[in-house]
Amino acid sequence: MASAAVAVALRRVVSHLMANNAVSPEAAVHYIPDRPIQRRMLARLIRRRVVVETGPDRYFLDVPAYDRWRRGLRRRIAMIFGGVMLAGIGAALLG
C-alpha cells in the first residue's frame, strides 16, 4: 500500500511539471506540493537531479535525467523480479 502511495505521489509531481511544460530553466514553475508525501517525493527527485530548483519553490523537470532515472528504475525492478523467479524455480525443483 505504501509503495502505491509513493508511486502516485511521484506521478503527481512529475505530471504537474509536465502539464505546465516546466522542462527547462526558463519554463520553471512555482510549485508547492499539497501533501507531505508529494513534498518528500519532490525532495527525492531534486536529490537525484531529476527535478531542478531554479529559485524558491520554482522547479523544472530535467527530461533527459528523468528518462535515465526511469530506465534505471525499470532495470532494478526487472532484476528483483528475475531474482524472485529464479528463487521460486529453485525452490520448486528442490521441493
Side-chain angles (χ1 to χ4, degrees), residues 3-14:
S3 61
V6 168
V8 169
L10 279 168
R11 189 171 50 249
R12 287 191 176 155
V13 170
V14 171

Side-chain angles (χ1 to χ4, degrees), residues 7 10-11 14 45 50 61 63-77:
L10 279 168
R11 189 171 50 249
V14 171
L45 292 171
V50 171
L61 182 71
V63 177
Y66 175 71
D67 288 340
R68 284 190 302 274
W69 177 73
R70 290 292 294 180
R71 254 192 323 272
L73 184 62
R74 285 188 188 121
R75 192 173 311 124
R76 287 189 301 276
I77 290 170

Side-chain angles (χ1 to χ4, degrees), residues 80-91:
I80 289 168
F81 280 129
V84 168
M85 287 183 63
L86 286 175
I89 291 170

Side-chain angles (χ1 to χ4, degrees), residues 6-63:
V6 168
V8 169
L10 279 168
R11 189 171 50 249
R12 287 191 176 155
V13 170
V14 171
S15 293
H16 177 82
L17 296 173
M18 293 283 250
N20 287 288
N21 200 32
V23 294
S24 70
E26 300 79 27
V29 295
H30 182 267
Y31 179 50
I32 300 174
D34 298 332
R35 300 179 182 271
I37 192 166
Q38 290 174 352
R39 288 191 284 276
R40 287 193 301 273
M41 294 307 102
L42 176 61
R44 178 184 291 181
L45 292 171
I46 291 169
R47 278 194 313 275
R48 294 196 167 126
R49 295 188 173 101
V50 171
V51 172
V52 181
E53 186 173 20
T54 61
D57 300 323
R58 292 192 65 79
Y59 308 97
F60 75 92
L61 182 71
D62 182 343
V63 177

